[in-house]
Amino acid sequence: MIDTKADPLHAGHFAGFSIPVTSRTARLFNLLAVAAVVIATVLPLAVVLYWMLVEQSEIVRLNGFAASVLAEFDALQRLAAAAISVATILPLSWGLMRLRVCFIEFAQGRPFAARGIAGLRDFATGMALAALAKLVGFTLLTLVLTWNAPPGMRQLAIQFNSDMLIMGLFAATVAALGWAMEKAAAIAEENSQFV
């Protein structure tokens, strides 16, 4: 929450100004910054752990394969599947790490700081790249999962689903917000020079 009892901002001080932020709101933004880092760190580790521990029957069920397609699922396939999955998660993890910077700037009452805006824009970029990586990653994952299948049963699949669309739309929305914040900061800076 913005402290509405604080003195108003004075023109000419835009470059280093900060909006008064209540301690509760600052704690919330700092908590979000920590959460972004934790999620960015845990996601790749969770994906690797999943591929090392998942049952073969679960992979068959989730991917809709016939049992004979995935009759053999060795350690090399697990490692390759984990590597592909991590590669699809890394852009999102990078974006979340950059979002941390945005939350820190917000916690300090600087919503129009260049660092914060760049962090928000990078988060949008990371999400967009993760959506594209999901598209390519699914195809590669299908190849890896079926490479030991008997001849004629190997599969190549492309998946384009609503998750990717929503992720891309969300990334575009966040990018548009970052663009608007950047323009607002530039206009406010320009206006402050007239006084």
Side-chain angles (χ1 to χ4, degrees):
M1 302 166 119
I2 296 175
D3 186 358
T4 56
K5 296 177 183 168
D7 293 333
L9 297 174
H10 297 287
H13 296 92
F14 184 78
F17 90 94
S18 65
I19 296 171
V21 176
T22 64
S23 60
R24 185 172 134 193
T25 303
R27 276 194 306 271
L28 176 63
F29 282 129
N30 285 325
L31 182 64
L32 289 170
V34 169
V37 170
V38 169
I39 293 168
T41 305
V42 168
L43 273 176
L45 296 174
V47 165
V48 169
L49 189 62
Y50 169 80
W51 282 109
M52 294 304 119
L53 300 177
V54 68
E55 297 283 332
Q56 186 170 330
S57 60
E58 185 69 11
I59 296 170
V60 168
R61 188 184 67 77
L62 287 175
N63 291 292
F65 295 140
S68 58
V69 170
L70 203 61
E72 185 183 334
F73 188 61
D74 60 26
L76 188 58
Q77 281 176 292
R78 285 184 185 274
L79 287 173
I84 290 166
S85 297
V86 166
T88 64
I89 295 289
L90 284 179
L92 181 59
S93 289
W94 172 76
L96 286 166
M97 293 298 281
R98 294 294 296 142
L99 184 62
R100 174 190 160 272
V101 174
C102 181
F103 286 139
I104 288 171
E105 292 294 334
F106 284 3
Q108 295 173 356
R110 297 190 300 257
F112 296 112
R115 278 176 23 116
I117 294 170
L120 190 62
R121 187 178 49 239
D122 290 347
F123 172 65
T125 302
M127 285 207 54
L129 290 173
L132 289 174
K134 266 182 101 171
L135 180 67
V136 174
F138 181 81
T139 303
L140 293 175
L141 197 56
T142 305
L143 288 172
V144 165
L145 292 177
T146 62
W147 79 28
N148 284 335
M153 298 190 82
R154 293 183 184 118
Q155 296 183 16
L156 174 65
I158 297 173
Q159 182 183 43
F160 189 74
N161 60 26
S162 61
D163 289 351
M164 293 175 205
L165 288 173
I166 291 170
M167 208 169 169
L169 183 60
F170 184 74
T173 302
V174 172
L177 288 173
W179 174 83
M181 289 172 65
E182 194 172 41
K183 295 302 175 195
I187 290 168
E189 178 66 25
E190 184 180 313
N191 288 343
S192 71
Q193 294 173 6
F194 289 116
V195 177

